[in-house]
Amino acid sequence: MFLAFEGADGAGKSTQVQLLAEYLERQGREVLICREPGGTELGEKLRGILLDPDSGDMGPEAEVLLFMAARAQLCSRVIRPALEAGKVVISDRFLWSSVVYQGIVGGLGIEEVLSIGRVATGGLLPELTFLIDLDPAVSHSSLDEGDRMERRGLDFQREVREGFAGLVADFSDSFALIDGSGSVEQVHEQVIKALPQKQS
Ligand code: TYD
């Protein structure tokens, strides 16, 4: 079982990843958590480059390929072996992030990014992705601080939110839309309710 969380920066994904992992462990499942970009030695180095404000100007083409390189390594070295060992894998972001950030907001195109993604992942996609939807005006408190991605500001985060909303409409079978505006516990409740039947 492969699950992922998506959403604009600061939507509370990592807390929810942790809570879901604890819930599934209480059900007796072995759970592996990973985050993108990262999760391997190479992936963490690429993460450093991608988030470093000193990396300077980076076009969406170079950017998507760096994210995909990290993803390819994570898939082949970590996610696939864990799934084969019968674990539940929960990823904090996955391919849909590239589709939104580089494909829609960055302008590369949805199909183009999905197509590079098929090479990077060998066709592996989460069975379900929880999209935590939250108004960036609420989640994005400091616009001038933070890493290279977070410095892009509120308008960028709004485009990201709209991009994800469009994807959920077009690929509704792949997503569970979660209202991120409630308390941590309320959001977690929605996640549990949306779990594929065999897990809940
Ligand atoms: P991170 O600090 O992990 O952010 P968050 O806590 O919001 O997940 O930084 C990841 C940043 O990289 C985030 O701004 C989203 C962006 N990103 C992409 O642009 N494309 C991608 O494929 C991925 C995985 C992330």
Side-chain angles (χ1 to χ4, degrees), residues 37-59:
T40 64
E41 206 174 323
L42 175 64
E44 291 296 328
K45 284 193 174 158
L46 291 170
R47 179 185 179 86
I49 295 171
L50 281 160
L51 300 188
D52 183 358
D54 290 340
S55 293
D57 173 48
M58 195 187 294

Side-chain angles (χ1 to χ4, degrees), residues 9 13 36 47 67 71 93 97-98 101-102 149:
D9 300 63
K13 291 184 307 313
E36 283 214 335
R47 179 185 179 86
F67 278 116
R71 181 168 300 129
R93 297 192 181 280
S97 274
S98 294
Y101 283 82
Q102 284 72 49
M149 310 301 282

